[in-house]
Amino acid sequence: MSLFCCAVPHSDLVLEAREVAGSGEHPIKKMPTRVNALEKMAPDVMVLTLQLPANETFQYKAGQYLEFLLRDGKRRAYSIATAPEGGAITLHIRHMPGGLFTDQVFSTMKERDILRFEGPLGTFFVRDDSDKPMVLLASGTGFAPIKAIVEHERASGSKRPMTLYWGGRRPQDLYMDALCRQWAQEIPNFSYVPVVSDALPEENWSGRTGFVHQAVIDDLPDMSGHQVYACGAPIVVESAKRDFVKLCKLPLDEFFADAFTSEADLQQP
Ligand SMILES: Cc1cc2nc3c(=O)[nH]c(=O)nc-3n(C[C@H](O)[C@H](O)[C@H](O)COP(=O)(O)OP(=O)(O)OC[C@H]3O[C@@H](n4cnc5c(N)ncnc54)[C@H](O)[C@@H]3O)c2cc1C
């Protein structure tokens, strides 16, 4: 992965970029927002519900994210976890101990606090010009934009097959497992594969084990006719991209992703 936002060219450079249809569909705005609710879904996952100003409209595509504008020009990105049809904006925030923003979310933040954000941002949304079956790959809170995507596909009456692989280290990391199981019952074109890598014996995990992207490889050795939407920990997203293309014949341009890159990742050599 190349992070051109923090790269410095040493000579003249020409970059080729594919234009993404739909990326500029909704205006990017800055606005204040009020924290309407904070709900702990797991020991390290908080669901934040935001209330937007009554006089503002905020449109976005399912899968996009917003950035909170913090002091000193710092920004933190969070994927929107509700479909545009879904009403209130919610975010799924995982605590990174020592982190500037998430330490605040898990300690001092309270209802009615005011934040500022900019959005919608990003190109992680479903390409509607395809009818290929979709593999939705989420690690941890990477489930947030995937949730928005599933809700949006359902609301729009899409019949495209969707299989969600949601991976975590422990069962509690799949903090909305019950909702996914409910979707699998209710949405005919949706199926769900939870995958846990480090369950404790006393958790009695009886589902799939190991790395979540490996579960996809085991189930779909030929992905030449699929599209993949992957989100969450950078290591999971990068491993999935590399192995799906190399081992499973996934065309490179059918892999779409948002890696949750943090300060810690950016400091790594
Ligand atoms: C497009 C996008 C979407 C995202 N969506 C989500 C989402 O929906 N949910 C979610 O939970 N996260 C998401 N993230 C990640 C999120 O933006 C933050 O990076 C994350 O929440 C950590 O923010 P923080 O301010 O708490 O921690 P930071 O201050 O960024 O620190 C992160 C970690 O690095 C450590 N650290 C800080 N500075 C250094 C340093 N110099 N050297 C070594 N370690 C350091 C901190 O102790 C901490 O553990 C997304 C990221 C991107 C890019």
Side-chain angles (χ1 to χ4, degrees):
M1 183 171 55
S2 305
L3 295 172
F4 288 108
C5 52
C6 24
V8 181
H10 289 287
S11 64
D12 286 350
L13 193 65
V14 177
L15 296 178
E16 275 184 25
R18 273 195 311 141
E19 201 181 335
V20 181
S23 56
E25 196 171 305
H26 301 305
I28 299 173
K29 297 180 173 183
K30 284 184 185 161
M31 63 178 83
T33 180
R34 190 191 295 269
V35 175
N36 220 5
L38 291 142
E39 188 185 359
K40 223 178 199 180
M41 297 299 293
D44 63 349
V45 178
M46 192 76 84
V47 172
L48 212 63
T49 307
L50 303 179
Q51 187 180 332
L52 304 187
N55 58 344
E56 283 280 10
T57 53
F58 179 64
Q59 294 174 294
Y60 61 96
K61 291 173 86 77
Q64 288 190 294
Y65 65 94
L66 53 76
E67 276 184 353
F68 285 121
L69 309 174
L70 311 180
R71 273 173 288 132
D72 304 329
K74 294 201 164 68
R75 292 165 166 255
R76 291 294 183 267
Y78 295 96
S79 304
I80 302 167
T82 19
E85 302 85 354
I89 295 211
T90 60
L91 311 172
H92 298 175
I93 301 183
R94 187 168 77 86
H95 190 195
M96 294 191 80
L100 180 71
F101 184 69
T102 61
D103 266 3
Q104 182 194 340
V105 171
F106 280 78
S107 57
T108 54
M109 189 174 283
K110 54 190 186 319
E111 284 176 22
R112 305 184 65 77
D113 278 0
I114 302 289
L115 300 164
R116 272 185 74 72
F117 76 84
E118 183 173 42
L121 300 167
T123 57
F124 187 66
F125 44 75
V126 170
R127 303 307 189 261
D128 289 331
D129 56 358
S130 170
D131 58 1
K132 289 183 175 180
M134 292 190 273
V135 172
L136 308 173
L137 176 73
S139 86
T141 46
F143 174 66
I146 301 286
K147 174 175 174 288
I149 284 174
V150 174
E151 288 177 351
H152 173 68
E153 291 296 298
R154 182 184 201 178
S156 63
S158 163
K159 299 279 180 287
R160 274 179 81 176
M162 302 179 268
T163 306
L164 166 60
Y165 289 82
W166 189 8
R169 291 186 56 240
R170 306 265 306 280
Q172 68 189 23
D173 295 329
L174 311 185
Y175 51 88
M176 289 191 175
D177 179 68
L179 173 68
C180 299
R181 290 178 193 273
Q182 189 187 330
W183 283 341
Q185 299 284 322
E186 294 174 356
I187 308 175
N189 50 322
F190 175 85
S191 45
Y192 172 49
V193 183
V195 186
V196 170
S197 61
D198 296 294
L200 303 176
E202 58 268 32
E203 288 169 333
N204 296 319
W205 176 252
S206 58
R208 302 277 289 271
T209 55
F211 292 143
V212 62
H213 87 287
Q214 185 61 49
V216 181
I217 294 170
D218 293 344
D219 291 355
L220 300 169
D222 182 350
M223 297 172 73
S224 53
H226 283 75
Q227 230 176 31
V228 174
Y229 293 87
C231 194
I235 182 74
V236 176
V237 170
E238 284 158 26
S239 307
K241 183 177 185 176
R242 183 194 60 224
D243 291 348
F244 292 175
V245 171
K246 198 165 120 195
L247 305 177
C248 306
K249 293 184 262 176
L250 179 77
L252 186 58
D253 58 0
E254 299 288 23
F255 185 89
F256 306 97
D258 253 354
F260 285 0
T261 316
S262 75
E263 284 298 316
D265 302 303
L266 295 176
Q267 298 306 323
Q268 282 177 10

